[in-house]
Amino acid sequence: MFNKESYERHDGWYNLQFPTEQSKVDYLKKNTEVLQKNNLSVWLQNIFFGCLDPLLKNINQTWLTIGDAYGFDAQYILGKNNHATASDLNIDFLQISKKEGVIDSFSLQNAEQLSYNDDQFDYLLCKEAYHHFPRPYAALYEMIRVAKKGIVVIEPQDPVSKMAGLLFFLNICSAIKSTIADRIWKNRFSYEPVGNFVYKMSEREMEKFAAGLNLPLVAFKKINPNFYFKGADEVECSPRNPKFLKVYLKKKLLDALVSVRLIPSQVLSAIVFKEIPDEGLLMQLKRSGYQLVYIPKNPYLT
């Protein structure tokens, strides 16, 4: 099946981009310097990472990051006084990340077949990696197996699943002629250069995933961080900077439209809990913009 070819393609991808150890070191050092500056690239990444902050307020928890090729996800978690092991299908970069002090632990892992025991980590994070998996549901079941408290998946959102009007319109177009819908919904079948289909996430899929495993709670946060462009790391985050101001205003507009449900957000952060958190964490999630969806108990289970 194609999943085996997909693993092989992803395994060698970063070595094609950074073929030597020195090129990897240079990339890590450059990004370490970027992270220390007040620039647009960091500002956008912190929109992603901010989704983790309510969970990271409790220190000394254990995390496993999935598809964390450079170790930057684990680095953020470590900076919040939690423990983190970075993992990826290829660890060539992670070995150097540990040498350079970016991370302190890493592991070679295939997300669809994790080598860890049940409930081994408090949380698992899969940030911008889920859409690369050839069998994403296999990875979801593996992640929830290894997690004790829950998993966090941060991914592009399927734009149609939550927009009933748009779905109705596309269905009408498809009924008339199938190619009409494809012209309107241009990224319906989208692929990345490494060869993977871009598997986007939806709230409904995560609700069904939780309900199928008799899990109690899913939390969703909608964010709009997809404004990166080449050179963003050189753009100072200041209202006097026109490049930053343009992105800031675009994001504010999208946030407003998402809040009144006129459009879907670019990205969805979903936390699937294996147990109901304490009241303090629930309040922190709500304050940070999460919507809590309690899964009804299965009436046929005693």
Side-chain angles (χ1 to χ4, degrees):
M1 286 179 62
F2 173 71
N3 59 297
K4 293 182 180 179
E5 181 182 342
S6 179
Y7 302 150
E8 293 172 358
R9 283 174 169 269
H10 282 81
D11 182 35
W13 178 252
Y14 290 103
N15 283 328
L16 288 175
Q17 313 308 310
F18 306 96
T20 65
E21 180 173 340
Q22 188 58 50
S23 65
K24 294 180 176 67
V25 171
D26 292 343
Y27 180 81
L28 288 171
K29 287 184 176 179
K30 177 184 176 182
N31 278 272
T32 299
E33 293 173 0
V34 166
L35 289 172
Q36 296 172 353
K37 298 178 181 178
N38 179 32
N39 62 69
L40 180 58
S41 179
V42 172
W43 186 77
L44 292 172
Q45 272 301 306
N46 283 339
I47 298 173
F48 284 100
F49 286 131
C51 297
L52 305 178
D53 287 347
L55 301 177
L56 294 172
K57 289 186 182 298
N58 291 329
I59 65 173
N60 293 324
Q61 297 178 112
T62 56
W63 288 72
L64 175 67
T65 58
I66 302 294
D68 190 5
Y70 309 111
F72 295 147
D73 300 346
Q75 181 185 36
Y76 183 84
I77 294 169
L78 289 166
K80 297 291 184 177
N81 296 314
N82 276 240
H83 304 286
T85 297
S87 76
D88 194 50
L89 195 60
N90 182 300
I91 58 171
D92 291 349
F93 241 115
L94 292 177
Q95 290 174 327
I96 297 172
S97 293
K98 184 177 180 182
K99 288 181 183 178
E100 295 296 317
V102 175
I103 57 175
D104 56 21
S105 178
F106 66 89
S107 177
L108 174 66
Q109 296 292 326
N110 182 329
E112 297 177 5
Q113 193 174 3
L114 299 174
S115 65
Y116 292 105
N117 297 326
D118 295 358
D119 302 332
Q120 187 160 343
F121 295 88
D122 289 318
Y123 289 103
L124 270 73
L125 168 64
C126 182
K127 172 182 168 288
E128 300 180 280
Y130 182 76
H131 68 272
H132 285 283
F133 304 151
R135 301 183 302 170
Y137 269 95
L140 275 183
Y141 289 118
E142 276 294 272
M143 287 189 284
I144 203 69
R145 176 185 67 80
V146 172
K148 181 179 180 181
K149 296 180 179 180
I151 63 174
V152 185
V153 183
I154 305 176
E155 284 294 328
Q157 181 173 202
D158 190 324
V160 174
S161 61
K162 289 292 287 186
M163 304 298 293
L166 179 57
L167 182 58
F168 175 77
F169 178 69
L170 289 171
N171 286 338
I172 294 296
C173 292
S174 295
I176 298 171
K177 191 175 182 180
S178 61
T179 56
I180 297 177
D182 292 335
R183 289 174 186 172
I184 298 170
W185 188 4
K186 294 184 178 180
N187 65 345
R188 179 180 181 183
F189 299 105
S190 56
Y191 301 87
E192 292 188 327
V194 69
N196 63 280
F197 168 71
V198 179
Y199 198 105
K200 297 181 179 180
M201 186 171 62
S202 73
E203 293 179 46
R204 183 57 182 155
E205 283 183 278
M206 301 306 286
E207 290 172 354
K208 292 188 293 183
F209 168 72
L213 291 176
N214 202 32
L215 301 176
L217 176 65
V218 185
F220 297 110
K221 183 175 182 179
K222 303 174 182 66
I223 57 175
N224 295 299
N226 291 346
F227 296 100
Y228 181 82
F229 56 87
K230 187 175 182 180
D233 54 348
E234 299 175 358
V235 176
E236 183 185 2
C237 293
S238 168
R240 292 172 294 183
N241 187 314
K243 290 185 178 180
F244 172 74
L245 187 60
K246 182 179 179 180
V247 170
Y248 178 83
L249 293 175
K250 280 185 177 180
K251 180 185 178 301
K252 282 295 183 182
L253 176 59
L254 285 189
D255 289 345
L257 294 174
V258 169
S259 68
V260 295
R261 301 184 180 182
L262 287 178
I263 62 171
S265 63
Q266 296 173 335
V267 173
L268 187 66
S269 175
I271 308 174
V272 182
F273 288 98
K274 295 180 78 170
E275 55 188 31
I276 298 288
D278 60 53
E279 193 61 33
L281 178 52
L282 293 174
M283 290 301 297
Q284 289 172 14
L285 289 168
K286 290 178 182 178
R287 282 196 293 266
S288 67
Y290 275 95
Q291 173 195 2
L292 306 183
V293 178
Y294 290 90
I295 308 300
K297 291 183 178 180
N298 188 331
Y300 300 101
L301 299 178
T302 57

